[in-house]
Amino acid sequence: MEQIIQRTSISQQVVDHLLDRIDRGELKPGERLPGERDLAASLGISRVPLREAISALCVIGVLEKRQGSGTFVSSFSPQTLGRILRTYTMLDGSLTGNLFEARMAVEGTAARLAAENASQEDIQNLSARIDEMEEAIPAYIRGEKTLTDMLALDALFHLQCAAASHNQFYLQFVSIVHTAGTDMGLYEAVYGQDREKYWESVEHHRRILAAIAAGDGRQAESAMSGHIQAIQTHTERGA
């Protein structure tokens, strides 16, 4: 049994584990993953975090689900992705302002494109991501969920927005800046100390979704930029 060391959230460990196997060539582009039951058993985990990890990797295009056939490794360059992810550890606090500037530029444009290109399925997926975060907040406040769990839910909404743009470059860019921000520990002081702040994030997410669903690109970009600006302000104040 491939037991995973317990250090971060289970779903994040599964993401790291699968990316590592893809990077090493153990899972090749076009290869089918084992079924959920077998894969979960081999990792010594339940199927819930496995599904969360697979969903996240499907959003960023690393994996793809084929109706009736299973989940497959996408045809992309895993070595390049692995190198990009590892470079985040070289970032430091002096790049905080640059990171937020990049997020506003990249995610704002991705939100505008999402308003122009999102399908009904995209809208439904975004709504589901918001509902998941909203449902998780009370458990987080009670200490039943970790900050890592919440950051993963938040990141999934932002990745889903980028996916709704139907532009693979923006999807990868958003993945890069989100991973960088998390590795830099930018959000720990804000959302770790004041757990209620996640309610504010949910409200921002709903405004972004409303603009995307209405097909209003300018408003979607403005709502996303405003959301990220609010996070930056909280971060700088250490609130």
Side-chain angles (χ1 to χ4, degrees), residues 1-4 6 9-15 18 35-54 145:
M1 181 182 294
E2 292 184 66
Q3 291 285 354
I4 299 177
Q6 302 292 313
S9 74
I10 301 298
S11 58
Q12 183 59 54
Q13 291 173 59
V14 177
V15 167
L18 292 175
E36 275 188 10
R37 186 189 302 274
D38 292 339
L39 185 54
S42 73
L43 297 174
I45 61 173
S46 72
R47 295 166 73 176
V48 173
L50 176 62
R51 287 170 181 162
E52 291 175 352
I54 289 175
K145 284 189 176 292

Side-chain angles (χ1 to χ4, degrees), residues 23-37:
D23 201 21
R24 294 198 306 265
E26 295 176 7
L27 289 171
K28 297 178 173 56
E31 185 172 344
R32 182 181 182 277
L33 264 62
E36 275 188 10
R37 186 189 302 274

Side-chain angles (χ1 to χ4, degrees), residues 165-184:
S165 75
H166 292 271
N167 183 309
Q168 287 299 312
F169 286 101
Y170 276 104
L171 179 55
Q172 296 301 329
F173 293 156
V174 170
S175 177
I176 288 169
V177 293
H178 259 274
T179 303
T182 300
D183 285 356
M184 291 165 72

Side-chain angles (χ1 to χ4, degrees), residues 94-130:
S94 66
L95 296 177
T96 298
N98 293 164
L99 188 282
F100 280 111
E101 287 176 359
R103 283 196 64 182
M104 280 188 273
V106 172
E107 296 194 60
T109 302
R112 175 174 57 78
L113 290 173
E116 298 171 3
N117 302 322
S119 65
Q120 190 57 44
E121 182 180 3
D122 290 324
I123 301 300
Q124 293 171 352
N125 286 336
L126 283 166
S127 181
R129 300 294 81 76
I130 295 173

